[in-house]
Amino acid sequence: MPDCALCRTERFHFDKAYGAVYYDGRAKELLRAFKFARRSLLEKPLLELLTRFIRENNIAGDWNGIVAVPMHPVQRFERGFNQAQILAEGVSKIFRRPFLAGTLKVNRCRRPQSSLGKAERKENVRNHFSVGPKIKVLGKKLLLVDDILTTGETASQCAKALKDAGAVSVDVLVVARGL
């Protein structure tokens, strides 16, 4: 995807961000079904979309590890799964890069980003993530995977935590990028 206006005006902690499609229309319906309606049958086509995007755009960098955006244990229990982890594990297997399970931790339960405005989103995720154990990321080039990137705040705070723990770079890959 080409640079967006948001990325040219905001300062983020990640190095690059890639989105396979825009978050509208059919993509929005599919991701909402995957995320909120527990439609696990969408896992395979979404992973195929990410795989095709990575290959067609030749972005399979020299990542030393793949990390998923984490969920608070309470939220994960309520949903039954972490959609970012499912996608990250799939990308890890296909591109033969280690999936660094449990690398990012959530420091506190927060309000869902989807229910907040831009300023509230920024505050909602500030200092929200930490890394443990740090040895997993020290000196590594990482790929951070999530389902949707809208304001970029969640991905930026995850990247900040990873870099603060010693990661050299953090690229972000999402299925869909908000408009």
Side-chain angles (χ1 to χ4, degrees):
M1 291 192 147
D3 287 339
C4 69
L6 176 65
C7 295
R8 287 191 296 267
T9 59
E10 294 285 329
R11 185 182 181 293
F12 296 111
H13 295 283
F14 51 80
D15 297 281
K16 297 175 189 167
Y18 303 100
V21 297
Y22 288 110
Y23 187 59
D24 63 356
R26 190 76 174 132
K28 192 173 191 174
E29 290 174 30
L30 290 173
L31 283 167
R32 284 186 174 196
F34 178 53
K35 192 172 187 170
F36 299 115
R38 299 176 192 223
R39 300 280 169 86
S40 59
L41 62 135
L42 295 174
E43 174 185 337
K44 187 175 179 184
L46 291 173
L47 188 55
E48 287 172 358
L49 174 67
L50 283 177
T51 301
R52 188 172 63 247
F53 175 80
I54 291 168
R55 289 185 173 139
E56 287 176 359
N57 292 282
N58 197 28
I59 62 165
D62 53 350
W63 304 308
N64 304 109
I66 297 179
V67 178
V69 171
M71 293 177 76
H72 189 274
V74 170
Q75 292 168 323
R76 184 182 172 124
F77 176 78
E78 289 171 353
R79 185 170 295 163
F81 65 98
N82 176 349
Q83 70 283 353
Q85 182 175 336
I86 290 169
L87 296 170
E89 287 174 341
V91 170
S92 169
K93 287 176 189 167
I94 291 166
F95 291 94
R96 295 186 180 113
R97 307 292 166 79
F99 175 65
L100 306 178
T103 298
L104 274 171
K105 307 283 185 190
V106 176
N107 295 331
R108 66 187 189 288
C109 197
R110 63 177 169 91
R111 294 169 44 202
Q113 291 288 81
S114 60
S115 68
L116 305 173
K118 183 179 177 183
E120 292 172 308
R121 286 178 183 218
K122 192 175 256 189
E123 188 56 39
N124 193 42
V125 293
R126 187 180 319 271
N127 300 317
H128 185 67
F129 303 100
S130 60
V131 174
K134 294 180 180 182
I135 193 69
K136 285 186 174 185
V137 301
L138 190 62
K140 302 241 169 118
K141 296 178 181 179
L142 302 173
L143 178 66
L144 176 68
V145 178
D146 203 359
D147 56 342
I148 304 162
L149 182 94
T150 50
T151 64
E153 293 303 327
T154 297
S156 186
Q157 288 299 307
C158 286
K160 180 181 184 317
L162 291 164
K163 286 183 172 182
D164 287 350
V168 173
S169 66
V170 179
D171 292 346
V172 177
L173 175 67
V174 296
V175 174
R177 169 70 174 96
L179 299 171

